[in-house]
Amino acid sequence: MVNFDELPIAKPASATLAYGFLAGRTQDSFPDKADEVFVAALAGGKMYVAYGEIEPAVQVPACTVVRTDYNKKADAAAEKLERKQITRQAYDKLGDLHQQGEDAFKRCFTERAPQQPAFAAATRQAQALLEAAIGK
């Protein structure tokens, strides 16, 4: 489970705190889109946690392009190393390009996702899920 970004949900009147976030499931690399929401609230001395799939998923194609570019650079560098066109030292100086791509994708997504129409829809869905969970 990957936390993509916090959602600006409103705290229900009966709750002392509430939190929601966009999520996606993965076995290895960071997913390209968030297709679930998780919400939690403390109300009446009880902790409530709920999650559900969202439609549409929140995605930022420009961020996927950023990651793809890093992955292409990583693959090209690995191929050059394998063909002995660059030294191990030169290759190591590049750093982990795949990880750099993942980090760049995360930064991009956090910055740009709130401007996506699907982000507003996800926030509404998370709010409804939270209110249903605490029985409002």
Side-chain angles (χ1 to χ4, degrees), residues 47-119:
M47 183 70 179
Y48 296 87
V49 178
Y51 68 93
E53 292 182 12
I54 56 172
E55 183 63 40
V58 179
Q59 53 191 345
V60 184
C63 301
T64 302
V65 169
V66 168
R67 178 171 47 196
T68 299
D69 288 346
Y70 271 95
N71 288 339
K72 285 178 184 176
K73 290 176 189 175
D75 294 343
E79 186 174 320
K80 285 182 179 181
L81 177 64
E82 188 176 305
R83 292 181 177 182
K84 301 193 187 315
Q85 293 173 330
I86 61 172
T87 65
R88 170 55 78 175
Q89 185 179 17
Y91 178 80
D92 290 344
K93 282 185 180 180
L94 295 173
D96 185 344
L97 291 171
H98 286 293
Q99 186 59 53
Q100 291 174 36
E102 293 293 311
D103 295 343
F105 175 86
K106 292 173 196 174
R107 282 190 305 273
C108 178
F109 193 95
T110 301
E111 291 170 6
R112 295 182 180 193
Q115 288 89 40
Q116 303 299 313
F119 188 88

